[in-house]
Amino acid sequence: MNYGPLIFLAAFFALAGSWSGFVLTPQLQIGRLQQTNTIGNPTAAYPVARPGLAQQGLDVYRANGCAYCHSQQVGQTGTVLEIALTDAGTNHPPIIAALLKLAAAPADGPTVLTALPQLEAARTNGGSAMLLDGLPKAFLRSSSREGANAAIKALYAAGAKAQLWIVPVGPDLARGWGSRRTVAEDFLFEAPVMPGSQRVGPDLANMGTRQPNVNLHLLHLYAPQLQMKGSTMPPYRFLFERRKIGLEPSPEALVLPAEVAPPAGYEVVPKPPARALAAYLASLRADAPLFNAPLTVPASATPATSTNAATTAASAK
Amino acid sequence: MNPNHPKSPFIIHNSSFNLPPSVAPDVIDASCRLPLVVLFLSAAVWLLTASAFGLIASIKFHAPGFLADSAWLTYGRVRPAAVNAMLYGFCLQAGLGVALWMLARLGRTTLAAPWMVIVGALCWNLGVAAGVVGILGGGSTGFENLEMPAYAAALVFLGYLMMAFWGVLTFHQRRERQLYVSQWFLFAALFWFPWIYSTANLVLQGFGARGMAQAVIAWWYSDNLLVVWLALVGLAAIFYFVPKLLNRELHSRYLALMAFWMLILFASWGGIPASAPVPAWMPTLSVVTTVLGVITVIAVFVNVFRTTGGKCLMRMSNPSLKFIGAGLASFVVVGFASAVTALPAVNQVTQFTWFTIGKGLLNFYGFFAMVIFGAIYYIVPQLMGQEFPFPKLVRAHFFTAALGVLLFAVPLAVGGIAQGLKLQHAVIFADIAKGTLPFLRASTVGDLMMALGHVMFLVNLGGLVFQFYRGRALSAWAEATAEIKTAEARP
C-alpha cells in the first residue's frame, strides 16, 4: 500500500482550505475596502493617506521595531447612549426636576451622568443657570435605546431639547487611548500594517490626538525618562546628532533640561529619521466616526476631531 | 506499534512489490552523517546566538539604557533577531535534520543525495545569517515571525527546497512500504513550509496586500509555522522516539492519525486574535479551531501515556526520554493555554500581555527545542558510533533547560495575567508597566539558565563531532603513513 499520495492530498486540501480562508478571502474582503465617509460629514473621506514625512516615519517605526512594545489597536467593551441637552430654554426648574426624576428611575433606565448633588443643589438654591450653561452637555447615560428615547420625550415635555449621543466605552477608552475601537478601515493605507501584539508601552492608535506636539515627541525619543519617570523605553539617541554649535545655534536643536543637556557649546539636533518618526507619531489618530464604529462627536465641545484637517495640520508642523 | 517493527492489520502485504532489500541502520546513518552534523552544529550555534540576543533584550528591562546608543542593538531589533535566529536558525534547521533522519530510518533507505542536503543547509544558513543581519540593520519587514528581508527570505526558501526535496525523494525511495505515523507528520511538514512561506513572502513583500489583509496573512503564516509545522515535526519525533526508546509498541496508530488530521484540518485556521480589528468571522473561526486543538493535545497525551504504561518520561534514565517528556509536558500546557486564552472573555485579559509571549516561548523552548534535544542526543551518537564526550553534561543540560524554561515561563505567565487584569481598569498605564517589571526581571534568570544549557549542548555536540573527525583523521593519517613504509619495505 502506498499512502504517499494520500498524505500529500490530505495536506494539500487541508492547507488549501485554510489558505483560501485566511489568505484569499481577506484579500477579497478587506483588500477591497475603499475610503468611506465619516458619519455626520459626508464630504470627508476616511482614511486619508499620510503626508510624506509621516509616511517616512512609518519606515523608521518599522525598522526600529516600535511595534514590539506598542500596539495600535484600541478596544471597546460596548457603547452607551448619553442624553445631551442642546437647548434648555429659559425655564430651568422643570427641566432639572425632569432630570432628577429620570435619574431616580429603576436600574435599567437612565441614570444621572453628571454629579447628582449638583443637580440637587441647583434645584434648592436656584443656581440652575450655571448648571445648564455650556450646552450641549450630556446629563444622562442609558444602556437601552428605549430608556433613552423615553428620557428624551420627558425632557421635551419639560421644555428642553435633547439629543442622543453614542459613546463607546471600555478600559482603553477610559484611559484616554482613543474615542472608539479600532477597525480595519483605520489601516487601509498602511504598508506594512503593524497593529502590534504587546503593550509594554502605551497604545499608540491615537498618539496624534493625545500629543500633537512634534517637539515633545522628539524630546521623548531622546530621553524617555524625562516625561515618564521609570519608563523602560530605551532612548533613541542614535536618531539624533550631538554636534558643536556653529555660528549660531540650530533652530531645530532640542531644548533639553540640565540632566540630559549636552556640554556647553554643543547642541542636540534630530536627524531626518527622528523628525519623520515624530511626524508619524503626531499623525496617528483613529477617531473618525464610522458606520461600523459609530460615535457622536459633539460639534462644539471638541472641534479638533474633524479628522482630515487636523491630521494634515499636525503633521505639517 | 514499534516503528522498527510496524505491523498493522489494516495494511495488506502485497508480495507483488518487488522491493529492494532494506538497508542496514549503520549504512543509513553513514549516509546521513555529514548533512546532519552540518545541520545540528549550525542549529546549535544559532541557538546560542538567539540566547545571546534574547539576553540583551531581557537586560534592557533592568536598564533601558543598556546598549541603547547603537541602532543595531536597540530593543526593537534585537528581539526579532533573537526570535528569527531561534525559529529559522534552530527550530526549523534542527527539525529538518531530525526529520530527514527519521524519514531515512523509517523508510529503511539511505538519505538521497546527502551532498545536495549539505548545499541546501549552507544556503539556508547563509539566508538566516543575512536575515538576522538585515533585521539588526533595520531591514525588518515589520511582520512578526516573518521579519527577514526579501533577499534573505529567498535564500532561506531555496535552502529549504534543496533539503526538503531530498527528504521527499528519500520518502519516495523507501524500502519499507508500510508507513509509520511519524512519516505522515513529516511528509506533510516537508510540504507545508514552502507553501506558507512563499505565500506570506510573495503577498506581503512582493505583490502587496491592502490594510489589515496583511496582518491576517501574517497571523495565518505565524500560526501555520509555530503551531502546525512545529507540532508536525515535534509530534513525529515524539511518536517515533517514545516507543523506540522504550522498546514498546505505540498505543494506538489511530489516535496518532487523529492528531494528524486535527492538526492539519483545524490548527491551520488558528492565529487570528479574538480582538483583532478585522471582520468578526475571522477571529470567530480562529477561536473555534483553536479550542478544538484541545482534542489534539488530549489525543497525543493519552497515546503517549498509554504507550509508556503511565510512567513519567521525565523520570526515565534515558536522557533523550527525559527531554522528550519535558517537551510533551510543555506541548500539553501550551495547547491548553492556547485554547483557554483563545476564548474572547479570557483573551480580553491576556491579549497584549507578557502571557502571550511566555506561551510562545514555551512552545519554542519548552516543547519543540526539548523534543529536538532529546532526538539529537539519541541520533548523533548513532551517527558517530561513539558516545558523547561529556555524558554528565547531557544530564546537566536537561536540568538547566527544564529549570530555565520554568523560571522563565512561569513569571511571564503570572506577570502577564496580573498585567492583563490591571488593563481591564482605567489604571494609569505607567503603573501597569511598572508592575510587570519584577516578573520580567525574574524571567531573565530563566534566560540565563537556558543560555547555560545551550552552551553545554554546543560543547557536547561540538566535542563529539570533533572527537569523531579527529579520530578519523588520525587513523587516516596513520594508514597513510603506514602504507608508505610497507611499500618502501617491500622491494
Side-chain angles (χ1 to χ4, degrees):
Chain A
M1 290 289 278
N2 190 354
Y3 277 112
L6 177 64
I7 306 172
F8 177 78
L9 283 179
F12 181 87
F13 282 112
L15 189 48
S18 106
W19 184 87
S20 44
F22 281 160
V23 176
L24 189 62
T25 326
Q27 281 282 63
L28 299 179
Q29 191 181 8
I30 308 174
R32 283 186 185 168
L33 282 180
Q34 296 295 330
Q35 274 185 330
T36 61
N37 44 16
T38 56
I39 293 178
N41 189 358
T43 52
Y46 184 84
V48 287
R50 286 176 207 294
L53 189 61
Q55 189 60 39
Q56 290 172 28
L58 177 76
D59 240 23
V60 184
Y61 191 86
R62 168 194 60 74
N64 291 301
C66 305
Y68 294 100
C69 293
H70 296 281
S71 60
Q72 284 191 21
Q73 26 175 339
V74 179
Q76 76 186 43
T77 47
T79 45
V80 294
L81 301 164
E82 286 188 348
I83 294 131
L85 283 185
T86 50
D87 184 3
T90 47
N91 187 13
H92 292 168
I95 301 174
I96 293 176
L99 283 170
L100 283 171
K101 195 179 158 203
L102 284 167
D108 58 327
T111 48
V112 167
L113 179 69
T114 48
L116 192 63
Q118 278 178 356
L119 273 180
E120 297 272 13
R123 185 167 64 164
T124 48
N125 61 27
S128 58
M130 266 182 23
L131 182 73
L132 294 179
D133 260 356
L135 298 180
K137 187 164 151 193
F139 277 92
L140 299 165
R141 168 170 285 200
S142 169
S143 50
S144 77
R145 185 66 192 253
E146 291 74 26
N149 284 343
I152 288 179
K153 254 183 203 167
L155 287 171
Y156 266 102
K161 285 181 187 164
Q163 267 184 359
L164 203 79
W165 286 356
I166 301 170
V167 181
V169 288
D172 289 357
L173 307 182
R175 214 172 284 123
W177 283 353
S179 47
R180 62 154 168 82
R181 71 188 172 97
T182 306
V183 290
E185 280 83 349
D186 296 325
F187 296 95
L188 194 57
F189 297 132
E190 302 275 292
V193 155
M194 288 173 282
S197 58
Q198 248 200 307
R199 283 180 180 162
V200 181
D203 190 277
L204 299 181
N206 288 286
M207 198 60 212
T209 40
R210 268 159 38 213
Q211 182 53 276
N213 187 340
V214 176
N215 288 324
L216 288 181
H217 281 304
L218 286 171
L219 198 60
H220 191 62
L221 289 171
Y222 184 76
Q225 282 74 22
L226 278 183
Q227 292 167 28
M228 190 60 70
K229 288 267 175 295
S231 161
T232 46
M233 176 171 159
Y236 288 86
R237 305 224 166 133
F238 55 86
L239 296 175
F240 296 83
E241 187 186 359
R242 196 166 86 164
R243 64 184 187 203
K244 251 196 173 123
I245 298 178
L247 292 175
E248 54 184 52
S250 161
E252 286 179 342
L254 295 187
V255 183
L256 293 166
E259 64 254 48
V260 289
Y266 285 84
E267 62 185 356
V268 172
V269 182
K271 290 183 195 167
R275 286 208 297 274
L277 183 57
Y280 170 75
L281 292 173
S283 79
L284 284 171
R285 47 171 60 221
D287 57 357
L290 298 177
F291 177 72
N292 53 353
L295 75 155
T296 307
V297 183
S300 58
T302 46
T305 19
S306 65
T307 28
N308 297 335
T311 314
T312 349
S315 21
K317 267 189 195 173
Chain B
M1 279 185 320
N2 187 319
N4 293 332
H5 309 282
K7 263 185 207 152
S8 165
F10 284 82
I11 289 175
I12 302 146
H13 286 271
N14 194 336
S15 54
S16 68
F17 275 130
N18 234 340
L19 288 172
S22 47
V23 181
D26 55 326
V27 180
I28 300 176
D29 286 343
S31 75
C32 291
R33 189 181 300 132
L34 200 54
L36 259 59
V37 162
V38 172
L39 284 169
F40 290 161
L41 264 185
S42 27
V45 171
W46 279 118
L47 184 68
L48 209 56
T49 316
S51 273
F53 285 138
L55 267 175
I56 294 178
S58 198
I59 290 172
K60 282 173 191 279
F61 285 102
H62 299 253
F66 177 69
L67 296 178
D69 288 343
S70 148
W72 284 61
L73 292 176
T74 190
Y75 178 79
R77 299 190 187 183
V78 171
R79 208 192 102 182
V83 171
N84 278 268
M86 176 62 190
L87 184 56
Y88 297 93
F90 177 78
C91 291
L92 270 92
Q93 179 155 239
L96 265 177
V98 173
L100 291 176
W101 184 80
M102 283 195 282
L103 282 173
R105 273 291 191 96
L106 283 168
R108 294 171 196 271
T109 181
T110 51
L111 182 65
W115 284 102
M116 287 309 294
V117 176
I118 296 173
V119 174
L122 294 178
C123 185
W124 173 275
N125 280 301
L126 194 65
V128 177
V132 169
V133 172
I135 292 167
L136 292 176
S140 152
T141 62
F143 298 107
E144 274 185 60
N145 302 317
L146 196 71
E147 285 94 346
M148 291 204 271
Y151 51 85
L155 280 174
V156 162
F157 185 67
L158 199 66
Y160 185 91
L161 286 189
M162 279 196 263
M163 290 185 274
F165 180 76
W166 303 107
V168 173
L169 207 65
T170 307
F171 176 78
H172 178 71
Q173 288 175 348
R174 65 191 186 278
R175 310 211 168 158
E176 172 62 65
R177 298 314 290 184
Q178 285 181 42
L179 287 183
Y180 182 64
V181 283
S182 294
Q183 282 165 297
W184 286 64
F185 284 81
L186 292 175
F187 189 60
L190 282 184
F191 133 96
W192 210 266
F193 180 76
W195 187 340
I196 59 170
Y197 198 61
S198 58
T199 296
N201 273 299
L202 285 177
V203 177
L204 296 178
Q205 298 203 57
F207 306 122
R210 280 183 97 194
M212 280 307 276
Q214 298 167 59
V216 175
I217 294 165
W219 281 320
W220 170 83
Y221 169 77
S222 293
D223 176 73
N224 272 286
L225 183 63
L226 305 184
V227 179
V228 182
W229 199 92
L230 292 190
L232 282 175
V233 176
L235 292 184
I238 288 179
F239 287 139
Y240 179 84
F241 284 103
V242 170
K244 184 184 180 75
L245 299 183
L246 286 176
N247 208 14
R248 284 164 183 255
E249 306 250 309
L250 182 66
H251 167 65
S252 163
R253 170 194 166 83
Y254 300 104
L255 261 182
L257 290 183
M258 188 183 92
F260 172 78
W261 284 105
M262 292 292 296
L263 205 57
I264 64 168
L265 283 179
F266 294 117
S268 57
W269 287 83
I272 318 280
S275 62
V278 290
W281 66 267
M282 299 178 189
T284 312
L285 205 54
S286 266
V287 169
V288 173
T289 51
T290 311
V291 172
L292 282 175
V294 171
I295 302 176
T296 320
V297 172
I298 294 174
V300 171
F301 181 75
V302 167
N303 212 352
V304 177
F305 187 78
R306 289 283 181 86
T307 306
T308 62
K311 280 181 217 139
C312 178
L313 285 174
M314 278 185 271
R315 288 201 196 154
M316 305 270 176
S317 58
N318 186 327
S320 288
L321 280 177
K322 278 179 187 290
F323 276 104
I324 289 173
L328 181 71
S330 306
F331 178 75
V332 173
V333 172
V334 171
F336 275 101
S338 298
V340 172
T341 56
L343 299 169
V346 186
N347 183 268
Q348 179 69 24
V349 174
T350 55
Q351 61 167 350
F352 305 128
T353 67
W354 287 101
F355 185 91
T356 321
I357 301 296
K359 180 165 75 69
L361 291 171
L362 187 61
N363 190 32
F364 280 166
Y365 288 99
F367 162 56
F368 195 75
M370 284 289 198
V371 171
I372 293 298
F373 289 146
I376 290 181
Y377 278 133
Y378 176 79
I379 295 173
V380 177
Q382 300 276 319
L383 297 182
M384 303 301 188
Q386 296 177 14
E387 283 308 309
F388 277 105
F390 314 106
K392 279 186 185 160
L393 269 192
V394 178
R395 279 166 190 281
H397 177 200
F398 176 74
F399 287 114
T400 47
L403 199 63
V405 167
L406 267 184
L407 278 178
F408 149 98
V410 172
L412 285 187
V414 175
I417 291 171
Q419 180 192 8
L421 288 174
K422 282 187 205 158
L423 276 168
Q424 299 314 300
H425 307 286
V427 187
I428 298 169
F429 183 77
D431 296 342
I432 303 178
K434 260 178 223 161
T436 61
L437 283 183
F439 297 103
L440 282 180
R441 290 173 180 169
S443 78
T444 308
V445 182
D447 272 330
L448 267 173
M449 292 288 285
M450 287 199 297
L452 190 68
H454 299 158
V455 173
M456 297 176 188
F457 175 65
L458 182 60
V459 164
N460 232 342
L461 191 63
L464 178 54
V465 171
F466 176 74
Q467 186 179 297
F468 176 80
Y469 284 105
R470 185 170 168 269
R472 280 217 152 177
L474 283 182
S475 63
W477 174 253
E479 252 173 50
T481 43
E483 225 173 333
I484 292 165
K485 274 178 192 164
T486 47
E488 280 171 354
R490 199 159 285 165

